[in-house]
Amino acid sequence: MLFRRPSSDIPGDIDSRLAAFDESYAQRFPDDPQPWNEAAAASRKRLLLGKTRWWWVVRGSAALLALFILILLWLAVTAPLSKSLQPIAPPRITLLASDGTPIARNGAIVDKPVNVRKLPPHVVQAFLSIEDRRFYSHWGIDPRGLARAAWSNAFGSGMTQGGSTITQQLAKFTFLTPERSLTRKGREMLIAFWLEGRLTKDEILGRYLSNVYFGDNVYGLRAASLHYFYRQPERLTLSQSVMLAGLVQAPSRLAPTKNPARAAKRAQLVLKAMVANEAITQAKANATPVARLDVRVRETLPTGTYFADWALPQARLLTESGYSDVRMTTTLDARLQNIARKVVGRSGVGDAQIALVAMRPNGEVVAMVGGKSYKDSAFNRATQAKRQPGSTFKLFVYLAALRSGMTPKSLVADTPINEGSYRPKNSGQRYRGDITLEQAFAQSSNVAAVRLYQKVGGKEVEQAAKDLGIRSGLTLDQSLALGSSGVTLIELTSAYAGVAGNQWPVEPHAFKQDEQGWLEWLFSGPRAFSGRMHKMLLDLLGASVKQGTGRAARLSIPAYGKTGTSQDNRDALFVGFAGDLVVGVWIGNDDNSPLRGVNGGGLPARIWRDFMVQSIRNAAPAAMPKVRQTPDPEGPIEPLDLPELPEPPIDIGNAQLRIDQNEGVTVNTEVGGVPVEIKLDRDGANIQAAPPTERPAPEPR
């Protein structure tokens, strides 16, 4: 043969023999076509990165399947179907005082969900015609609807439309934020597919109609039909249906209670869409009048007050999510709240602000005023403002000292501090030498408090404050002894409540709390002072009111408290308790500027006493006995309320002395050229700067 080889070189299998033949033929006839080599090259070209096309198809399909499963898991977590059954806005909550008197109402107006199958056909068609005419035929996204909306908006067909389907709208306002971005739009489409695959069309439409916003703080078709027409959605007429369907596009702008002309014009566009969708005839549309409103409920309660704003977040935590209105009884005492409002109203603080909070020893807040006017400023200075507590913070310094083994009779130096970088001074730079802790606390000695802080240490003072419920951050330096770290009035009052009831810490709350079981009380219940420790604290706080800086707060019943004035008179406070009430009063300027002539032992203490006198029976201090006048029957009756007083035994120079039966003794004089007014009355001595008075020139002798 032509290609004969030795028998020993001939391969045994057919493939090898053919390959040998091809190779031999190629060597002898190199110019001839070699299809076997081209087929091999083509086979090699079909490989991608060394893998066949089929290999990539299989792996790609598996990757897509895994991605699809991940998306399903993500949707199950971020878009649970149960969320579409909940109202998109928190339902309305009505807060009641402890006696059942409504005090505030806040939240959206919502009502029970609607069942699409029970609605009249014209109600359903009104919404579908204007919002999503192919709702029952698409799978969550309507490409034709998107194109139609783009054409309509670009060339102005008279009906401005959006491209989102009802399913997309449900996905958007139920699961997503209002942001406008391609990412959110992509998530919206994914969730729309998810909803379409898990719910029926009627379920999607029902959830949409039960949650969509209709203006006037109204959410859902049932709430809207009751609000605007005072009838259930199952009884809506065609004219009422088209007006409600028209509101969905821009509910705030089209609400008929505010813009009836715009709402009526939009309703006509809905009728046009229904005619175009062959839901009604043109004759029917022409015969449909404009719907007449029947709004019977007018809101008379405020949506917020200082107390309501503080209580509402607690109310939301205590209620379950649902469509029904909720009425919750708070701890607010209507009588005490009115007293607080009146006391603050006549306080005479001028341009300054004022806050008052009253609670029971267990933390039930019964009255709260966060400023002079909620209308002018909703900022709650009782719960939100962190201000320096001044000497009211000394309670925690002295508690730490008592814990270290000292007693109210222990001595502390009330002398100037002349060493170290921090050298505070007493008010008026008055010092008394070695005095007892009780005297130092009553007279609010600054140097004594700092020396106690130095002795027990900042950590012990901080621990005492935190034990009694102070949650604000504290700066551990010597100025903390004088209340240099800001706290809120309500947490400071709660700390004093812990001493009043001898159970701490006290958590202020707006709603009644369930009593703890004995097991819960044993492991997580409040702590208490020993009887001896509690008595020592009461001795300190009582001395402050009886003979100390808080004398202006004295009552006819045992009263306990502490005055506080921050640096440069920027804050003035009095916090104390009597009977079953714990009350804190704060006065200051919002811009933190100094007060003029106001300190904790003055106006705040008098406001505290005024509130207590009206709140607690028989708490008013005994009035001073009136001096009875016996006129001289033989002489003229002098128009005097007091008998003649002898000349003062001291020379008062150009000072003016005024004596009044009700106001006491007032002396106007000058110290170093500065006019000073000294007033002595049943509240004690009060010294403050006074405007200079012009005295008449002496007559010539």
Side-chain angles (χ1 to χ4, degrees):
M1 293 183 61
L2 183 62
F3 304 108
R4 184 175 180 82
R5 292 182 180 179
S7 59
S8 60
D9 296 334
I10 298 175
D13 61 275
I14 187 63
D15 291 334
S16 299
R17 294 166 68 183
L18 288 173
F21 175 81
D22 293 338
E23 182 180 359
S24 177
Y25 184 89
Q27 290 176 357
R28 291 178 179 275
F29 306 101
D31 296 331
D32 287 356
Q34 301 176 13
W36 54 88
N37 288 333
E38 293 175 4
S43 176
R44 285 193 297 269
K45 289 179 181 179
R46 286 196 294 270
L47 295 178
L48 180 60
L49 300 178
K51 304 295 182 182
T52 65
R53 182 183 302 172
W54 178 248
W55 188 93
W56 285 107
V57 169
V58 171
R59 267 69 177 177
S61 300
L64 290 176
L65 180 61
L67 180 62
F68 179 72
I69 293 174
L70 288 176
I71 291 176
L72 289 181
L73 292 174
W74 171 72
L75 288 174
V77 174
T78 62
L81 291 178
S82 59
K83 191 173 181 181
S84 64
L85 289 172
Q86 301 172 358
I88 61 174
R92 190 166 53 176
I93 291 181
T94 302
L95 298 179
L96 311 176
S98 58
D99 61 356
T101 304
I103 57 177
R105 181 175 289 125
N106 189 283
I109 302 174
V110 297
D111 213 310
K112 294 182 296 184
V114 296
N115 186 333
V116 173
R117 295 184 178 181
K118 295 182 179 180
L119 295 175
H122 58 259
V123 174
V124 175
Q125 287 299 326
F127 285 91
L128 295 183
S129 297
I130 195 65
E131 292 297 322
D132 189 358
R133 65 177 60 183
R134 271 178 293 278
F135 171 73
Y136 279 99
S137 60
H138 63 63
W139 272 77
I141 298 173
D142 184 10
R144 292 174 59 189
L146 288 171
R148 186 189 72 249
W151 179 271
S152 175
N153 297 337
F155 298 100
S157 64
M159 290 183 290
T160 303
Q161 301 176 22
S164 295
T165 64
I166 282 179
T167 312
Q168 287 177 267
Q169 293 182 54
L170 177 62
K172 178 172 62 178
F173 62 62
T174 303
F175 301 105
L176 303 175
T177 61
E179 67 169 326
R180 297 188 176 212
S181 66
L182 291 176
T183 303
R184 187 201 60 78
K185 198 67 177 177
R187 295 183 64 201
E188 175 187 303
M189 292 181 177
L190 281 174
I191 296 175
F193 280 126
W194 164 256
L195 292 174
E196 289 280 350
R198 296 296 303 275
L199 300 174
T200 67
K201 286 290 187 178
D202 285 349
E203 288 175 333
I204 293 173
L205 183 58
R207 297 186 186 196
Y208 167 81
L209 293 176
S210 299
N211 282 290
V212 70
Y213 183 49
F214 287 91
D216 276 7
N217 199 32
V218 177
Y219 291 80
L221 179 60
R222 189 176 303 280
S225 61
L226 289 168
H227 175 72
Y228 291 115
F229 304 115
Y230 202 68
R231 63 171 56 198
Q232 295 291 341
E234 291 83 5
R235 298 180 56 248
L236 286 173
T237 65
L238 176 60
S239 60
Q240 294 166 343
S241 302
V242 296
M243 179 167 284
L244 291 177
L247 301 181
V248 175
Q249 184 196 54
S252 299
R253 183 169 57 89
L254 298 174
T257 51
K258 298 180 178 66
N259 300 295
R262 289 180 179 177
K265 184 178 179 181
R266 178 68 180 172
Q268 291 300 314
L269 292 179
V270 177
L271 287 173
K272 278 187 184 180
M274 293 182 73
V275 172
N277 203 31
E278 298 182 354
I280 59 173
T281 64
Q282 185 62 54
K284 181 69 172 177
N286 295 338
T288 303
V290 177
R292 296 181 59 182
L293 297 182
D294 186 5
V295 181
R296 301 190 184 186
V297 180
R298 296 291 182 182
E299 189 58 72
T300 57
L301 287 177
T303 58
T305 65
Y306 289 119
F307 177 82
D309 289 354
W310 175 72
L312 190 63
Q314 301 176 50
R316 295 289 181 201
L317 292 176
L318 294 173
T319 58
E320 297 181 356
S321 179
Y323 286 90
S324 59
D325 285 0
V326 179
R327 295 169 67 87
M328 300 190 66
T329 301
T330 69
T331 58
L332 190 78
D333 188 304
R335 183 181 71 88
L336 298 181
Q337 179 67 20
N338 287 332
I339 293 174
R341 191 180 297 113
K342 291 177 182 178
V343 167
V344 168
R346 62 170 179 256
S347 60
V349 296
D351 294 333
Q353 279 291 349
I354 183 172
L356 182 151
V357 60
M359 65 179 65
R360 304 295 181 192
N362 64 357
E364 292 180 358
V365 176
V366 294
M368 179 183 290
V369 178
K372 291 191 297 185
S373 171
Y374 181 85
K375 180 181 178 182
D376 295 338
S377 172
F379 179 71
N380 194 334
R381 295 154 189 86
T383 63
Q384 295 175 282
K386 287 193 175 184
R387 304 293 293 250
Q388 291 186 358
S391 293
T392 57
F393 193 86
K394 290 176 182 175
L395 170 66
F396 313 116
V397 179
Y398 280 74
L399 172 58
L402 296 178
R403 284 176 168 177
S404 71
M406 301 181 76
T407 71
K409 301 305 179 184
S410 300
L411 296 179
V412 61
D414 183 33
T415 56
I417 296 177
N418 299 318
E419 299 177 354
S421 58
Y422 184 62
R423 301 180 181 183
K425 297 178 174 59
N426 282 349
S427 176
Q429 298 194 35
R430 289 174 294 184
Y431 303 93
R432 303 167 183 81
D434 288 343
I435 58 176
T436 65
L437 263 63
E438 183 175 306
Q439 292 172 325
F441 189 84
Q443 300 301 325
S444 199
S445 169
N446 290 336
V447 294
V450 171
R451 283 192 168 98
L452 292 176
Y453 181 94
Q454 294 171 342
K455 181 177 181 179
V456 301
K459 287 291 185 181
E460 296 301 319
V461 173
E462 180 188 37
Q463 187 60 50
K466 291 188 177 300
D467 284 346
L468 288 180
I470 298 299
R471 298 291 177 259
S472 299
L474 303 176
T475 302
L476 298 186
D477 57 40
Q478 296 182 47
S479 66
L480 180 62
L482 308 184
S484 60
S485 292
V487 299
T488 63
L489 180 63
I490 195 168
E491 67 178 321
L492 186 63
T493 307
S494 301
Y496 276 70
V499 178
N502 196 17
Q503 285 194 334
W504 43 270
V506 172
E507 187 69 28
H509 50 273
F511 300 93
K512 292 278 187 180
Q513 294 183 339
D514 296 332
E515 293 187 5
Q516 290 181 321
W518 71 270
L519 191 62
E520 185 181 6
W521 176 86
L522 183 64
F523 289 100
S524 61
R527 291 174 287 174
F529 298 114
S530 66
R532 180 172 177 269
M533 177 67 72
H534 189 228
K535 183 181 182 303
M536 290 192 294
L537 289 172
L538 293 181
D539 288 344
L540 295 178
L541 293 167
S544 176
V545 176
K546 290 177 183 177
Q547 65 259 11
T549 56
R551 292 189 303 275
R554 284 180 296 186
L555 303 171
S556 62
I557 62 175
Y560 309 88
K562 186 70 186 75
T563 61
T565 308
S566 66
Q567 189 175 12
D568 298 328
N569 288 64
R570 299 178 189 275
D571 305 271
L573 305 94
F574 187 88
V575 185
F577 51 90
D580 63 344
L581 286 175
V582 188
V583 180
V585 178
W586 167 87
I587 297 175
N589 291 313
D590 284 342
D591 61 1
N592 207 31
S593 59
L595 298 165
R596 294 186 177 182
V598 179
N599 56 62
L603 189 55
R606 292 196 291 271
I607 293 172
W608 185 92
R609 182 189 63 187
D610 192 7
F611 177 83
M612 287 297 200
V613 165
Q614 299 182 58
S615 301
I616 303 175
R617 180 177 298 180
N618 300 324
M624 294 180 63
K626 293 185 177 180
V627 179
R628 298 189 61 179
Q629 295 293 322
T630 304
D632 184 359
E634 298 180 358
I637 298 177
E638 297 287 342
L640 298 176
D641 295 323
L642 290 173
E644 282 191 1
L645 294 175
E647 291 273 333
I650 58 173
D651 181 11
I652 61 175
N654 290 328
Q656 291 184 337
L657 177 66
R658 185 173 70 254
I659 301 176
D660 184 85
Q661 178 71 32
N662 297 318
E663 297 182 1
V665 180
T666 304
V667 179
N668 291 93
T669 184
E670 292 184 355
V671 178
V674 178
V676 176
E677 181 181 86
I678 305 173
K679 187 174 181 179
L680 299 173
D681 57 14
R682 62 194 176 102
D683 295 329
N686 185 21
I687 304 175
Q688 59 183 359
T693 57
E694 293 186 5
R695 300 183 178 89
E699 295 182 359
R701 302 192 177 196

